[in-house]
Amino acid sequence: MNPPLSLEACAARDAADPLAGFRSRFTLPAGVIYLDGNSLGAMPAALPARLDSVAQRQWGQDLIRSWNQHGWVDLADRVAEKIARIIGAQPGETMVGDSTSVNLFKVLSAALRLRPGRRRIVSERDNFPTDLYMAQGLIALLGNHHELVLVEPGEWAPYLDDDLAVLMLTQVSYRSGRMHDIRAVTAQAQAAGALTVWDLAHSAGAVPLALASDGADFAVGCGYKYLNGGPGAPAFLYVAQRHQAQFQPALSGWFGHAAPFEFETGYRPAEGIGRTRVGTPPILSLSALEVGVDLMLEAPMPLLREKSLALTELFITLLRLRLGSEAFILVTPEAPEQRGSQVSLAHPQAWPIMQALIARGVIGDFRAPDILRFGFTPLYLSHTDVWHAVDILSQIMASGEWQQERFQARAAVT
Amino acid sequence: MNPPLSLEACAARDAADPLAGFRSRFTLPAGVIYLDGNSLGAMPAALPARLDSVAQRQWGQDLIRSWNQHGWVDLADRVAEKIARIIGAQPGETMVGDSTSVNLFKVLSAALRLRPGRRRIVSERDNFPTDLYMAQGLIALLGNHHELVLVEPGEWAPYLDDDLAVLMLTQVSYRSGRMHDIRAVTAQAQAAGALTVWDLAHSAGAVPLALASDGADFAVGCGYKYLNGGPGAPAFLYVAQRHQAQFQPALSGWFGHAAPFEFETGYRPAEGIGRTRVGTPPILSLSALEVGVDLMLEAPMPLLREKSLALTELFITLLRLRLGSEAFILVTPEAPEQRGSQVSLAHPQAWPIMQALIARGVIGDFRAPDILRFGFTPLYLSHTDVWHAVDILSQIMASGEWQQERFQARAAVT
């Protein structure tokens, strides 16, 4: 289908959208077009009641007994198995808890121990920095016997050799929105005898994933973007079944013990994925995450992907129609199979332009030094939203209102 | 003052209790005497409204803008500085986030790197297991060049030599409630050239702490016990100012970077305690924790400690009065200066006796193999509560009702 280029055509497309009903399942403020669900997903409308029930009934009334009576002890596993369906994992391959960074440390340290003698971790220069930082911290901790090699996007071929321990990539780039083919890239790494660690922060809930059938080794991902789990929500990790028996947990906490409530002095790892757990699970934030994940599971991923691509293509097409192809550099690949659920534009004045957009209610974000980033979450965005977003951006560029002084100052978090 | 041995005397003592007003600041169910605040603190009455506001107004309405508009980016630091006042830290020595286990890994790995060439970590056999497990995982990760030595409580003297890297202790034992003198023990370790790591899980909010003036090196602690931060609340850590410049973060995540939003490829640690941060802070659970911490800060610690000791002494005295001194083995030290805010009793039938107590609304907990554990939280417990708890325990022992079959089956979490 061709993109709907008029407001009327967009409205007609929305009227026929099988996902349109999900918009009302989220609480979004009036007058806002929220194109930042790739940074912080919107709040599910069911969230406040769930939080209140966990607080008042479970914590407030049933107190410590809730570990059994309300299943707190199994909550993390329950949410993990739901996320497993979103990322295409088999049962028993997914864990929820801790942050994406901490989970990366867990799987990367375990992966290195599965490839003794191999010195290199290869990643991309524009990978999300925390992944690079965690790898650097681990390498230093281990005495600098390993090396982190950073390549330009996709340029890892020269390093596919018997010194490669781990190819560590983010599937959908936070900067460019460019998407890798997990199956093909994993096969390349494995052919060299190496392992893969995939960061799915901008993938889970955004694009179809089939980790198990694609042969992925390890993965981590984020709960607060497309899974709508709330600010700083617990993260997840994936360990392929075939690696679990040999998985040595560097972070060997009591919730990863085979029998945590026996209070033994020696660590014995739980069978399977359970050994990737560390401390006491965060019940309030896991409960919030479950609301977002449950909502995501109601929407068929093929429909989500189809609409996501329609929205990003519509944005790109309308942008060129209204502003020409010179106004911004399109950073995101145009080929649909290489595109996640976001569009990134480069412009020397990206910061004040984004501030001017936000002042008009179009919320995207800025990524240093010159990227305007727009996330398109098909669960709660419409074609009409996209049309208005481009319309407002066009007005801002035509009027030059982004040059106003109030849009120049940089805030703490951008 | 002598303990009030009659119900009337307890009521009179409660009427004169300057902390009595705090009881109404918590939501506790009717018919329950909650002696498990050392496992999961009670819910502050102000919590549901705070959670709802963070969800509906901050996340739901202001979305990503809340990082600046509602100070999400500084929330962890703000809560950390409040906890600093509870643990006697100087400003800039405390971090909040992650779990106690993960925080232990951070400080223990950094401490080992500050003592190269020293091979031993010494701890107590009855230390909380996750501390031992995390140390074991770290040692294995580092190639088994270190050794974890476990001694009987207090018996570390033979290891105070130039092979001691870290003396790792929990100040108040989760099992026995026995309390160490942080200043004296730290001095012993430091005299041997070693460092200390203190676990304050059963100390913070329960006993007076003065980490900075006591010369402590590193510490970790828990948000969901006496700080009443909610199930699985974020934990905290402490790094003495003098160690911060040399502190090498093994878990070097983007929130610990000197300039996280510059998205550099190389990790540069933030100045000071900031480098102990790792991933994106959990806003919902940090907000909940702040409610508990704020409430704790309203109560003067000398009054809390005085009442805590009065309650534990009352419990021990009434128990002997009603049941004699043979019915249970008192595991907790009788000397007040060696006692935290709990009383532990050993009994071969500890499990069914605790189940019978819980069925009657007296909630303590069981710790394998034979410990009945009772936490006394002076913020929301009264002398009358203690009287009734002992009364019910006496009835259960006299009637033998703990022998009923329904109290025998073990639950998942105990």
Side-chain angles (χ1 to χ4, degrees):
Chain A
M1 281 197 294
N2 289 327
L5 300 182
S6 68
L7 184 54
E8 295 69 27
C10 285
R13 198 65 62 91
D14 290 338
D17 175 8
L19 298 173
F22 283 98
R23 170 68 183 79
S24 66
R25 310 283 298 279
F26 291 89
T27 301
L28 283 163
V32 158
I33 298 173
Y34 191 59
L35 306 181
D36 212 8
N38 53 336
S39 184
L40 172 65
M43 188 184 78
L47 185 277
R50 172 69 183 271
L51 264 190
D52 197 59
S53 164
V54 173
Q56 304 235 41
R57 193 162 64 96
Q58 299 184 9
W59 178 15
Q61 291 300 305
D62 295 328
L63 290 154
I64 191 73
R65 296 169 292 192
S66 294
W67 284 102
N68 293 311
Q69 284 181 21
H70 296 291
W72 286 357
V73 74
D74 300 317
L75 175 60
D77 285 350
R78 189 171 78 208
V79 179
E81 289 310 323
K82 291 177 176 180
I83 292 176
R85 293 159 56 194
I86 295 172
I87 63 176
Q90 298 292 319
E93 294 185 320
T94 310
M95 190 277 322
V96 175
D98 300 308
S99 65
T100 310
S101 300
V102 167
N103 286 334
L104 187 86
F105 185 90
K106 296 179 197 172
V107 298
L108 186 59
S109 59
L112 290 183
R113 295 161 93 171
L114 289 172
R115 289 295 179 271
R118 290 177 175 240
R119 287 186 311 117
R120 287 208 181 106
I121 302 166
V122 171
S123 192
E124 293 177 328
R125 191 174 305 283
D126 76 343
N127 197 350
F128 189 71
T130 206
D131 294 14
L132 307 181
Y133 301 161
M134 294 305 292
Q136 290 160 9
L138 174 62
I139 288 170
L141 180 70
L142 296 180
N144 293 308
H145 303 302
H146 298 84
E147 177 191 13
L148 176 64
V149 176
L150 299 184
V151 300
E152 296 308 311
E155 302 292 323
W156 52 73
Y159 297 96
L160 295 171
D161 57 26
D162 60 11
D163 217 10
L164 178 66
V166 177
L167 182 59
M168 178 181 82
L169 298 170
T170 294
Q171 189 203 12
V172 176
S173 166
Y174 83 103
R175 283 189 94 246
S176 68
R178 178 222 58 230
M179 182 168 72
H180 287 308
D181 179 332
I182 290 182
R183 177 194 290 256
V185 176
T186 296
Q188 288 176 32
Q190 290 173 349
L195 296 165
T196 48
V197 170
W198 289 101
D199 182 335
L200 307 175
H202 292 266
S203 306
V207 300
L209 290 167
L211 292 188
S213 61
D214 282 351
D217 298 296
F218 302 99
V220 298
C222 176
Y224 56 80
K225 298 179 185 292
Y226 294 94
L227 298 184
N228 306 304
F236 64 88
L237 66 75
Y238 165 89
V239 177
Q241 172 72 43
R242 66 185 176 280
H243 294 310
Q244 292 181 5
Q246 292 79 41
F247 187 101
Q248 293 182 66
L251 304 180
S252 45
W254 73 309
F255 263 76
H257 193 277
F261 292 93
E262 296 301 319
F263 299 95
E264 300 170 2
T265 53
Y267 180 73
R268 287 189 295 126
E271 286 292 311
I273 195 72
R275 65 183 60 183
T276 62
R277 296 184 293 240
V278 185
T280 306
I283 300 302
L284 294 174
S285 49
L286 281 169
S287 301
L289 175 58
E290 187 173 36
V291 176
V293 169
D294 280 342
L295 192 42
M296 175 62 61
L297 283 172
E298 289 185 40
M301 181 49 79
L303 290 183
L304 285 170
R305 177 63 172 161
E306 186 185 344
K307 183 175 171 188
S308 159
L309 286 175
L311 294 179
T312 50
E313 189 186 349
L314 176 62
F315 183 79
I316 294 168
T317 306
L318 284 173
L319 196 74
R320 287 184 174 147
L321 196 67
R322 296 287 295 269
L323 286 165
S325 51
E326 308 281 291
F328 294 94
I329 297 169
L330 179 66
V331 176
T332 304
E334 290 200 61
E337 70 278 9
Q338 293 174 25
R339 194 161 75 223
S341 198
Q342 79 181 56
V343 175
S344 297
L345 308 175
H347 191 288
Q349 299 298 326
W351 171 263
I353 294 169
M354 182 52 75
Q355 300 318 301
L357 274 168
I358 291 171
R360 295 272 223 111
V362 179
I363 302 182
D365 61 24
F366 166 82
R367 284 295 173 260
D370 64 351
I371 301 278
L372 298 109
R373 201 172 66 147
F374 302 93
F376 294 88
T377 45
L379 270 182
Y380 48 80
L381 288 174
S382 65
H383 298 78
T384 309
D385 286 331
V386 174
W387 193 93
H388 284 299
V390 174
D391 185 51
I392 292 169
L393 177 55
S394 303
Q395 292 174 33
I396 285 170
M397 297 312 291
S399 68
E401 72 187 68
W402 58 268
Q403 297 172 41
Q404 294 173 24
E405 195 179 335
R406 63 181 172 134
F407 298 136
Q408 310 297 317
R410 296 276 285 268
V413 178
T414 58
Chain B
M1 280 196 295
N2 288 327
L5 300 182
S6 68
L7 184 53
E8 295 68 28
C10 286
R13 199 65 62 90
D14 290 338
D17 175 8
L19 298 174
F22 283 98
R23 170 67 184 77
S24 66
R25 310 284 297 280
F26 290 89
T27 300
L28 282 164
V32 159
I33 298 173
Y34 191 59
L35 306 181
D36 212 8
N38 54 336
S39 184
L40 172 65
M43 189 183 78
L47 186 276
R50 172 70 183 271
L51 265 190
D52 198 60
S53 165
V54 173
Q56 304 237 40
R57 193 163 63 97
Q58 298 183 11
W59 178 17
Q61 292 299 306
D62 294 328
L63 290 155
I64 191 73
R65 295 168 295 191
S66 294
W67 284 103
N68 294 311
Q69 285 180 21
H70 296 291
W72 286 357
V73 75
D74 301 317
L75 175 60
D77 285 350
R78 190 170 78 208
V79 179
E81 289 310 323
K82 291 176 176 181
I83 292 176
R85 293 160 55 196
I86 295 172
I87 63 176
Q90 298 292 320
E93 294 184 320
T94 310
M95 190 278 320
V96 175
D98 300 306
S99 65
T100 310
S101 301
V102 167
N103 286 334
L104 186 87
F105 185 90
K106 295 179 197 174
V107 298
L108 185 60
S109 59
L112 290 182
R113 294 161 95 172
L114 290 173
R115 290 296 178 272
R118 290 176 175 241
R119 286 186 312 118
R120 287 208 182 106
I121 302 166
V122 171
S123 192
E124 294 175 328
R125 192 175 305 283
D126 76 343
N127 196 350
F128 190 72
T130 207
D131 294 14
L132 307 181
Y133 302 161
M134 294 306 291
Q136 290 161 7
L138 174 61
I139 288 170
L141 181 69
L142 296 180
N144 294 307
H145 303 302
H146 298 84
E147 178 190 13
L148 176 65
V149 177
L150 299 184
V151 300
E152 296 309 310
E155 302 292 323
W156 52 75
Y159 296 96
L160 295 171
D161 58 25
D162 60 9
D163 217 11
L164 179 64
V166 178
L167 182 58
M168 178 180 84
L169 298 170
T170 294
Q171 190 203 13
V172 176
S173 166
Y174 83 104
R175 282 189 95 245
S176 67
R178 178 221 58 231
M179 182 168 72
H180 288 307
D181 179 332
I182 290 182
R183 179 193 289 256
V185 176
T186 297
Q188 288 177 32
Q190 290 173 349
L195 296 165
T196 49
V197 170
W198 289 101
D199 183 335
L200 307 175
H202 291 266
S203 308
V207 300
L209 290 167
L211 292 188
S213 61
D214 282 350
D217 298 296
F218 302 99
V220 298
C222 176
Y224 55 80
K225 298 179 185 293
Y226 294 93
L227 298 184
N228 305 305
F236 65 87
L237 66 76
Y238 165 88
V239 178
Q241 172 72 43
R242 65 185 177 282
H243 294 310
Q244 292 181 4
Q246 292 78 42
F247 187 102
Q248 294 181 67
L251 303 180
S252 45
W254 73 310
F255 262 76
H257 193 277
F261 291 93
E262 295 301 320
F263 299 95
E264 300 170 2
T265 53
Y267 180 73
R268 287 190 294 126
E271 285 293 312
I273 195 72
R275 64 183 60 182
T276 62
R277 296 184 294 240
V278 185
T280 306
I283 300 302
L284 294 174
S285 49
L286 281 169
S287 301
L289 175 57
E290 187 173 36
V291 176
V293 169
D294 280 344
L295 192 43
M296 176 62 62
L297 284 172
E298 288 186 42
M301 181 49 78
L303 290 183
L304 285 170
R305 177 61 173 162
E306 187 185 343
K307 183 175 171 187
S308 159
L309 286 175
L311 295 178
T312 50
E313 189 186 349
L314 176 61
F315 183 79
I316 294 168
T317 306
L318 284 174
L319 195 73
R320 287 184 174 147
L321 198 66
R322 296 288 295 268
L323 285 165
S325 52
E326 308 281 291
F328 294 95
I329 296 169
L330 179 66
V331 177
T332 304
E334 290 201 60
E337 70 277 9
Q338 293 174 26
R339 193 162 76 222
S341 200
Q342 79 181 56
V343 175
S344 297
L345 307 176
H347 191 287
Q349 298 298 328
W351 170 263
I353 294 170
M354 183 53 75
Q355 300 318 301
L357 274 168
I358 291 171
R360 295 270 224 114
V362 179
I363 302 182
D365 61 24
F366 166 82
R367 285 294 173 260
D370 63 351
I371 301 277
L372 298 109
R373 202 172 65 146
F374 302 93
F376 294 87
T377 44
L379 271 182
Y380 48 81
L381 287 175
S382 66
H383 299 77
T384 309
D385 287 331
V386 174
W387 194 94
H388 284 299
V390 174
D391 186 50
I392 292 169
L393 178 55
S394 303
Q395 293 174 33
I396 286 170
M397 298 311 291
S399 68
E401 72 187 68
W402 58 268
Q403 297 173 41
Q404 293 173 22
E405 194 179 334
R406 62 182 172 134
F407 298 136
Q408 309 298 316
R410 294 277 283 270
V413 177
T414 57

